[in-house]
Amino acid sequence: MNDAIHESDKMRVTLVPFKIREEATIPRRPWLMTGLLLRKQVAAMIAAGGVGKSVLTLTIALHLCAGRDFGPWRCAGGKRYRVGVLSAEEDEDELDRRLHAIAAHYGFTDEDAENLFIYAADALPVLAEAGRNGIVKETAIAQKVAEHARQEKLDVIILDPLAEIVQIPENDNGSMKAACAILRQIARRLDIGILLTHHVRKGGVTPGDVDAARGASSLIGLVRTACTLVPMATDEAAALDLDPDEAAGIFRADDGKANYSAMRGRAFWFRLKSVALANGTGDAHDIDADDCGVPVAWVPRNALGEKSIQQIHEILDLIEKGIPGNGDRYGFKKSGGSARWVGYVLTREWDWTTAQATDVIDAWRKSGLLYEDTFMASKSRGPKLGVFVNPAKKPSGSMPW
């Protein structure tokens, strides 16, 4: 404690008056991939196991190496960046399988691959660990990882997953904060961006809810950008008018934290496409060639797929509340005045076309999210048919829809 006080006494603190300056002279934020990765900062990608976060980060890595945009993320300046991947779960052969599948699908070249580096370790690469006294410290491995990054002039390091590269009491906020601070210090020392993956807690996850991250909540406080990856739920597929087979392998990415950019408030979708490798023998007695799932951008058939869960909640609440002024229920029929048609809520609030609203209302009715029943009309005071919202079909923490 005395040492800490002594060191703080040496710090200089000055008070500088604020001055309006030419905005053109203000340095731009050091984005590597806009909306996802910044220099000197840590970003998190949060998802349950098996969704596709590992292969998604590898796909992001190769796009960075090639200076190409990917999905909702833009490669800053269109520059080629040098990326290091540290995977604690997959060996080099499995990484090769996935990277070759990604390269084959997207047409990446040897020139692109020259900017990608894989950290190889003969033991679990722990970067931060808690000692017997509970104090979390940077390990010798972390120092080697940083030194290699400095030698190869890396711009980005991908760490997959967090739970394997830090050995701490995961539910302890102090330990988690200290471990993530070590990663952030590495990012700042090297002037790089760090992208880490992390698992969610048991139970369901609402898209965009970064607080669903497993363990201590201080993780979210230390990262500067975070997104969730959530597989398409059965009811969600029905609402988007997809059958279960079509929905398999589709997942959504939602902003959960964006300290330095506006939250986009919409979902971005990906589908895992099976890509076969040319490593089979063709012999009937041998095993077939390997195949890997490669994430590709997926566009829903209707405009609903771009809306966040919160936006869906808000629109359903307006439908359930009824027509402003009298509280009468909306109807499925477009006759009798456009203001009474339930799709009018979508055209009014979301500035959609009638065709877009019709597609979504039809899908919601088909899925059972919206249904028709009787209510007492305000003028006639008699029973009429109107639209109701089925609360069991609404978005929730356990099922996204």
Side-chain angles (χ1 to χ4, degrees):
M1 184 65 180
N2 290 335
D3 289 340
I5 294 174
H6 180 68
E7 290 299 320
S8 66
D9 286 344
K10 295 180 180 179
M11 294 177 62
R12 293 181 58 198
V13 178
T14 58
L15 187 65
V16 179
F18 173 73
K19 293 182 179 179
I20 300 295
R21 60 195 282 191
E22 289 291 331
E23 291 184 6
T25 67
I26 301 174
R28 298 182 67 182
R29 291 192 179 105
W31 287 107
L32 294 158
M33 190 162 256
T34 306
L36 181 66
L37 271 170
L38 282 154
R39 289 191 185 276
K40 300 183 185 295
Q41 301 294 346
V42 180
M45 190 165 282
I46 300 164
V51 174
K53 60 182 179 298
S54 295
V55 73
L56 184 64
T57 58
L58 294 177
T59 306
I60 290 169
L62 276 172
H63 278 78
L64 281 165
C65 291
R68 287 162 56 177
D69 300 339
F70 177 59
W73 304 298
R74 300 291 172 261
C75 198
K79 292 175 56 180
R80 293 174 179 268
Y81 293 104
R82 294 168 72 82
V83 182
V85 174
L86 191 158
S87 174
E89 290 187 329
E90 306 298 346
D91 60 26
E92 291 178 68
D93 286 340
E94 182 57 32
L95 290 175
D96 276 351
R97 294 181 191 102
R98 296 182 181 188
L99 288 167
H100 277 76
I102 295 166
H105 175 77
Y106 286 103
F108 291 119
T109 65
D110 290 342
E111 184 181 5
D112 302 323
E114 287 176 356
N115 293 319
L116 184 64
F117 299 82
I118 306 299
Y119 281 100
D122 53 10
L124 191 64
V126 177
L127 306 188
E129 62 183 358
R132 292 182 179 178
N133 56 5
I135 297 176
V136 179
K137 294 184 177 181
E138 181 176 349
T139 65
I141 294 176
Q143 294 168 7
K144 291 179 180 178
V145 166
E147 182 57 31
H148 287 311
R150 185 180 294 107
Q151 291 172 355
E152 296 297 341
K153 299 180 181 179
L154 298 186
D155 300 290
V156 177
I157 295 178
I158 292 174
L159 305 175
D160 179 36
L162 176 65
E164 299 291 337
I165 63 167
V166 297
Q167 290 189 347
I168 59 169
E170 196 173 63
N171 293 313
D172 181 75
N173 266 307
S175 297
M176 179 65 79
K177 183 176 180 180
C180 291
I182 287 171
L183 300 181
R184 187 173 63 183
Q185 288 166 7
I186 293 173
R188 290 178 175 177
R189 288 202 309 265
L190 300 180
D191 191 32
I192 65 172
I194 291 180
L195 174 60
L196 59 86
T197 68
H198 190 46
H199 296 290
V200 298
R201 61 175 180 260
K202 292 182 179 180
V205 180
T206 299
D209 179 18
V210 291
D211 289 329
R214 197 174 75 188
S217 61
S218 56
L219 162 68
I220 302 306
L222 266 291
V223 302
R224 279 297 159 266
T225 59
C227 69
T228 61
L229 307 179
V230 179
M232 182 177 286
T234 302
D235 287 349
E236 187 171 19
L240 291 173
D241 200 22
L242 297 175
D243 62 45
D245 289 340
E246 290 178 301
I250 297 176
F251 62 93
R252 59 186 292 164
D254 292 78
D255 284 326
K257 181 178 182 180
N259 283 37
Y260 298 136
S261 65
M263 300 289 280
R264 286 167 287 203
R266 56 173 290 191
F268 293 90
W269 294 90
F270 297 94
R271 176 176 62 87
L272 290 177
K273 178 182 179 180
S274 181
V275 175
L277 299 178
N279 64 350
T281 64
D283 188 333
H285 299 288
D286 199 0
I287 58 174
D288 294 331
D290 291 315
D291 64 86
C292 299
V294 173
V296 297
W298 180 81
V299 179
R301 293 172 185 163
N302 60 47
L304 180 65
E306 295 186 351
K307 297 300 179 181
S308 69
I309 295 299
Q310 181 180 350
Q311 290 172 314
I312 303 297
H313 266 290
E314 291 170 353
I315 212 76
L316 291 174
D317 289 344
L318 289 175
I319 292 173
E320 183 64 24
K321 190 179 293 184
I323 300 172
N326 59 26
D328 283 357
R329 293 281 173 173
Y330 292 100
F332 282 126
K333 294 182 180 179
K334 295 180 184 177
S335 58
S338 62
R340 190 173 181 271
W341 175 50
V342 66
Y344 171 70
V345 183
L346 280 66
T347 62
R348 180 189 70 208
E349 298 296 324
W350 289 344
D351 197 28
W352 276 7
T353 65
T354 298
Q356 288 175 314
T358 299
D359 285 345
V360 170
I361 293 301
D362 288 347
W364 279 353
R365 188 177 188 180
K366 181 180 176 181
S367 70
L369 176 57
L370 299 182
Y371 66 96
E372 201 169 42
D373 205 346
T374 57
F375 72 98
M376 297 300 292
S378 59
K379 289 186 177 180
S380 65
R381 299 189 182 281
K384 291 185 68 174
L385 284 175
V387 174
F388 290 77
V389 177
N390 183 349
K393 298 285 187 177
K394 288 180 68 175
S396 69
S398 60
M399 181 169 285
W401 283 76

